[in-house]
Structure formats: C-alpha cells, structure tokens
Amino acid sequence: MNHRCKVPPQVREHRLPLPEKAPMHHNTMTFAPEAAHQRAPRALPTLRAALALSCAALALAGCGGGSGSAEPGQPPVTGALAAPENFENGGALSFSWSATPGATRYELFADTDGPGPQTEVQMGEAQGLSFYSTTQRQFGYLNLARLPDFINATFRLRACNTDGCGAFTAAKALDIPKSISHEFPSGRAPLKSSASNFDPISQDGLTLVLRGASGSTSTLLVFARTAIDQPWQQQAEFPTRASRIALSSDGTTLAGAEDDKIQIYHRGGATWGLQATITSTQTPAACPQPCQLASVPGKLALSANGNLLAVTGIYGAATNTPNAVFTYVRTGTTWAPQSHLAPGGSVVGTALALSGDGSTLALNSGAITRSESFAPPYLHVYAQSGGGTWSEQARLPVGIVNFLDIAASRYSALALSNDGATLAVEALNAPNSLPAEFHITGADLTCAGTGSAAPGWHIALFAREGATWRRQAVIARDAASWALANDGNALFFGGELFNRRSGAWTCP
C-alpha cells in the first residue's frame, strides 16, 4: 500500500514572485456548460478520469519518454539528478525553472486538492501539458485544463535522464491571488495593466471571480474561502457573455457587461443570486436623448460596498462610440440611474476608475489611438456631493492611450485610492505629438530607472489637496503590471514598492 505524505502547509504556501519578463502564454480555459445556478459552498469537482490515466512525460524535443518507474502515488527517486532550481508557478497554470545539468526531460506532478485526500498525478501531453525551452530556462503550461479544478493544487517537478529521475522540488501552490493582485498592509489591490485584463478579487482576498470560455459562451465562477490559508470553495457559476466584469472590494457584488445590458449579482450569506439587470434604455432622466448604454460597454467599476456602479454609455449624436459615463445607485436591493458625465471630445471613458467610497470618479476624453489621431488626452476628475450630484473637479493633461496598435492592444489604466484623494495613471509620453503641457522629461521622474531619461510608458501619481489636484510623482519602469494601495500610500510597480511619506514618494 502506498502512502504519500502531504506537504506541510508552511511549505505548500511558499510562493515565489513571478518575474515581470516571464513569457506570456495564452491559455484557453474550457468550462463544462451548465445551467446558471447559485449555491452554498461545496467541494470542488474532481478532475475528469482522463487526468489519472496517462503518465506521459514532459519531454524535451528529441528526447525519450518516461522513466518507466514513476508511480503516481509515490514516485521513487531512481537517479542522482538534483531537483530543478528556481521552479516557479505563474498562478495561471504556467511554470518555469532553470535547466538542470544532465537532464533530458522533466516530470511535473500535480496534487489537485492540495491538503485534501486525492493523490498527486503526473501531468503530460494527454492532460494538455506543453513546454518550450531556452538555453538556460524551461517553460511549461497546461492549456487544456480547467483552471478551477486546480485552484487548490500544489505542483512538484523533477529532472530525469536515461539513468532515472532525481529529487523533487518543494511543492508550489497555485497562487492565483498573487498573479492578479498585490497584498499591501491596507489589503489586496487589483493589478492593473495596459495589456491585460485581470480577474477580480476582494480586498480581503477571500472572494475570487474567474472567467473562462466555451465556444461563444463565457462563464463566471465565484470562489470563496474562510481564511487566507484555507482552500477555495466554489459558490456560484453564471454562464454569461459578459465581456467586462467588476467585483466590489467587499466581495458581495459582481457586475458583468453583456452586449447592451449590465447584470448585477449579489451574495447574501453564502448564496449568490441575480439582483438586477440594467438594460440599455435604463439611463438617467437628465441625459439628452437618444441616451443608452454602449452596445458593448467598454469599462465599468463598482464602489467598495457595491452600491455605486459606473459604466460607459452614449448619448446625443453619438452612434456606437461611448461619449459618456453613467452612474447607477443601489438603495436596498433596487438599482436606479443616477447621473451621466460627458466631458466632451472623443474617445470618452476608455480609461475609468471609481474610488472605494464612491466619492470620486476619473475618466478620459481623447486618447492616443492606433490611427495616430492624437486627440488631446485629458483626464477628468469628478467629485460627488452629498446629494448625489457630480461636478468636475480637475482636468489633467495625461498621455492616455486607447488601442495603440493591433499587436500590443495597449490601453491606459487608472486606479483611485479608497478615499479618492490619490490617483494613479498608466500613460504614454508622446512629446512629438502632443502639446507641451503633456510632455514628461527626465527631470520630472521621481525614481529614474535604466533608460528612463525620456520616459515612454510611465505611471503618474496625482494627489488632491482640498479641491486642487497636483502631480506628485512620475515613475517609469519596464514593467507589465502595477497596483495602487487602497490607502493611496504605496505603489507596486516593476516588482518594486514605492511609498509615500509626508506627501513625497520615495524610491525603493
């Protein structure tokens, strides 16, 4: 009888940071079509039987198959090779490690339920495991697996050759929260990126929403856990074509933009249900007609408690291009239109942020676009009074980008602190194309990085003093993602942490 000792939690939870320049893999996550339903937490489904059948090795090109001695329950060590070094898990079923001298292939094992009773199994081509390599670095990813089936999984890797297989690495947990958010002392904050859309997670890290696709149908799956060190449990599954989603920071409200409507789901206790559907014609009464939600809403945002929703729309002479942002308010369980914000100009609302307390909203008008139509890209900041009336508080010159080119598909991203007094903007410096007030020079940089004398992509940090906004810092890094702390006093960018003390941003 084989008895495999489970990896202790303290080892299982050991996590390494994902390098900023790790290769990007485009994984297709296929979910079994099911009817929409809500339920209390339940145990995760087991992997389909095919997962336990094949023991195909993860082989380098031109090398042989498995060792012939690997036993899924307790694979023996039959060779003298050392465990692969720098084994990292990207949080989305992608892996990387340093090449092991003398190895001709590698074997990856997955324990799909982590601390649960299931036995780990070897992953191979039959389970959708693919790989490629460079001179010193190896990469693998699972492109046919259901991510939710692995949400509590741990992984181990070993190197093999004709003499057998060596020692395993320490087990690595699939740390999805780390791949989509950063944990500050003030709580988790979602990662932002000009090139990616991240799945949402609550500020306490206990509620998570994942997206997947099956043909033309997308699915939203909601997971919850009782504590950071506890396993995820699935709470709800909603088949929907929602192209944009937002989760309130408290984890109780989920909004999805599908075609010309917004569906809002709410959790009561541990049960989720559809609370409201906002249709294209449910717009603020003061909005000049015609007035409706955009046919495919570009952006949407929720306040921390989920009681305020902001979403792009169109009004007046506009046809398909959003030229306004609508706000909606929840009173009890009823949603109603509140206001529309239309700063004028073109390319409105492609960048959008709402403060946690719902008092401040930022959106753009104008953008640097793929067609090189450089409409001056201003950022408009609105403040809400106690009576629910919004007024423009500032117009800031910032290099907002909307779909710069087909290959990169880059956009600008925004973030506001919970109190709305700090604003972070990911923008592009274009000194030869925009008026001088938009220019960023080396002298403007707070923390100069390599090659940052004339920054390109950068993050500008603005602060509100009374009712006046001013730029406090400009930070340029060659990085893919960033996060602003909920209290506005820290920025995670390029794997570095920048802090604000006494109104001044300091370098790491």
Side-chain angles (χ1 to χ4, degrees), residues 81-168:
L81 292 173
E85 296 183 351
N86 303 317
F87 177 48
E88 297 176 0
N89 186 317
L93 298 177
S94 60
F95 310 90
S96 63
W97 61 93
S98 299
T100 299
T104 57
R105 69 180 188 278
Y106 299 88
E107 293 181 351
L108 178 71
F109 284 74
D111 185 350
T112 58
D113 62 348
Q118 295 184 37
T119 302
E120 72 175 352
V121 294
Q122 184 180 339
M123 307 304 296
E125 293 180 2
Q127 288 82 35
L129 181 64
S130 302
F131 72 93
Y132 66 93
S133 62
T134 62
T135 303
Q136 299 295 330
R137 199 74 173 147
Q138 314 293 310
F139 304 95
Y141 62 98
L142 287 162
N143 60 350
L144 297 179
R146 281 184 48 143
L147 180 60
D149 285 337
F150 290 90
I151 195 169
N152 293 313
T154 57
F155 297 87
R156 298 194 301 163
L157 181 77
R158 65 180 181 179
C160 304
N161 57 21
T162 56
D163 294 329
C165 297
F168 275 103

Side-chain angles (χ1 to χ4, degrees), residues 248-250 252-253 264 302-309 330 335:
S248 60
S249 294
D250 65 5
T252 64
T253 305
I264 301 177
L302 282 165
S303 60
N305 61 9
N307 287 335
L308 181 66
L309 169 71
R330 178 173 59 189
W335 285 87

Side-chain angles (χ1 to χ4, degrees), residues 157-381:
L157 181 77
R158 65 180 181 179
C160 304
N161 57 21
T162 56
D163 294 329
C165 297
F168 275 103
T169 62
K172 299 289 183 184
L174 182 64
D175 191 354
I176 294 178
K178 186 174 183 178
S179 69
I180 63 175
S181 64
H182 184 76
E183 189 170 13
F184 296 96
S186 57
R188 286 200 173 272
L191 287 175
K192 305 286 185 178
S193 173
S194 61
S196 301
N197 292 318
F198 291 92
D199 292 308
I201 189 170
S202 60
Q203 184 172 328
D204 60 11
L206 303 182
T207 303
L208 168 69
V209 181
L210 298 180
R211 292 175 283 195
S214 177
S216 60
T217 302
S218 62
T219 303
L220 298 181
L221 295 102
V222 184
F223 294 88
R225 56 185 178 182
T226 57
I228 297 299
D229 60 351
Q230 295 300 304
W232 292 101
Q233 302 290 326
Q234 185 175 318
Q235 281 193 329
E237 182 172 3
F238 305 108
T240 172
R241 296 192 303 275
S243 56
R244 298 282 183 177
I245 59 176
L247 179 70
S248 60
S249 294
D250 65 5
T252 64
T253 305
L254 171 65
E258 180 179 342
D259 298 331
D260 58 352
K261 63 184 178 183
I262 307 294
Q263 292 177 309
I264 301 177
Y265 306 92
H266 182 259
R267 179 174 59 192
T271 302
W272 285 85
L274 178 64
Q275 187 176 68
T277 297
I278 299 174
T279 63
S280 61
T281 58
Q282 291 175 277
T283 53
C287 179
Q289 297 298 317
C291 183
Q292 62 186 42
L293 292 175
S295 57
V296 179
K299 297 289 183 179
L300 71 164
L302 282 165
S303 60
N305 61 9
N307 287 335
L308 181 66
L309 169 71
V311 61
T312 53
I314 56 179
Y315 82 102
T319 54
N320 296 317
T321 303
N323 64 348
V325 168
F326 302 148
T327 59
Y328 296 83
V329 175
R330 178 173 59 189
T331 303
T333 60
T334 302
W335 285 87
Q338 182 198 51
S339 183
H340 78 287
L341 308 175
S346 61
V347 197
V348 173
T350 60
L352 176 67
L354 180 65
S355 64
D357 63 6
S359 68
T360 309
L361 188 148
L363 69 147
N364 69 302
S365 67
I368 302 170
T369 67
R370 184 178 63 192
S371 62
E372 299 185 0
S373 175
F374 292 94
Y378 289 99
L379 192 64
H380 303 261
V381 183

